[in-house]
Amino acid sequence: WRDWSSDVCSSDLMLLTTIIYFEYRARLENNEEPFTFTEFIENNKSDIIFIVISNYLMLYCGYLAEIGKMERKKAAILGYIFILLTFGHIYNNYAKKSKIGRIIFSILFITWSSYGVAFLLNDIARNNMINFLDLLAKNFFGIFLFFEARRQSI
């Protein structure tokens, strides 16, 4: 359960960071006023709640399969429904507003969708694929944001 709970926290933070970045880039490309973190949270509260809940439900399906309460294929199908809801919402409300948002969205969607493929593999293959996907989804995106922030401040 500890591993799953850390996935909930880290994935929610990654999704929040992602939509903040998408909104930032859209405003930058459209020469609009910047926003503060507090303003973003206040103005996008319902979107954030929707994304967090649908992300949680996706992870919960996987958790139920891991503890033997749901068959893996059924959990994967339900999980994909929730990931489609999550990423559809992100695309329609944030990513499509900027060119870089659409590009990064595509990379993130493919990466995150690949977790569902890994979920259906045997234990060793699943572990290897998840480690690779974690490296890509968490570390690569974090490094990208770091260099993007640095580039914007120069």
Side-chain angles (χ1 to χ4, degrees):
W1 169 248
R2 266 180 285 172
D3 190 44
W4 285 93
S5 64
S6 72
D7 285 345
V8 170
C9 294
S10 65
S11 61
D12 285 343
L13 287 173
M14 284 187 291
L15 293 170
L16 177 61
T17 303
T18 300
I19 63 173
I20 290 171
Y21 175 72
F22 288 160
E23 185 65 22
Y24 165 76
R25 286 302 304 205
R27 288 189 183 208
L28 195 65
E29 287 181 21
N30 296 312
N31 296 315
E32 296 175 16
E33 289 292 315
F35 55 87
T36 66
F37 178 76
T38 304
E39 289 170 339
F40 182 85
I41 299 298
E42 289 172 0
N43 294 334
N44 297 277
K45 198 176 296 182
S46 62
D47 288 335
I48 294 166
I49 290 169
F50 179 87
I51 290 166
V52 166
I53 290 171
S54 59
N55 179 58
Y56 172 80
L57 291 170
M58 180 220 21
L59 291 170
Y60 189 63
C61 290
Y63 173 71
L64 289 176
E66 286 294 322
I67 64 170
K69 301 286 184 188
M70 185 182 292
E71 194 267 321
R72 285 189 95 72
K73 286 183 184 175
K74 181 178 180 182
I77 291 167
L78 290 173
Y80 270 114
I81 290 169
F82 291 116
I83 199 169
L84 289 172
L85 289 172
T86 302
F87 275 82
H89 195 84
I90 290 170
Y91 183 81
N92 288 323
N93 293 285
Y94 301 97
K96 74 178 185 179
K97 295 179 184 179
S98 72
K99 181 179 179 181
I100 191 72
R102 292 185 297 275
I103 293 167
I104 296 296
F105 174 86
S106 298
I107 294 166
L108 290 175
F109 180 69
I110 290 167
T111 302
W112 281 52
S113 295
S114 298
Y115 281 98
V117 174
F119 181 73
L120 295 172
L121 300 175
N122 67 54
D123 290 343
I124 293 171
R126 178 173 54 248
N127 187 50
N128 289 335
M129 188 169 176
I130 286 174
N131 286 336
F132 173 75
L133 291 170
D134 282 349
L135 182 68
L136 186 63
K138 297 173 184 174
N139 298 317
F140 170 76
F141 190 57
I143 291 168
F144 167 79
L145 289 178
F146 170 77
F147 282 108
E148 180 71 3
R150 243 179 96 78
R151 186 176 68 83
Q152 293 299 320
S153 66
I154 294 175

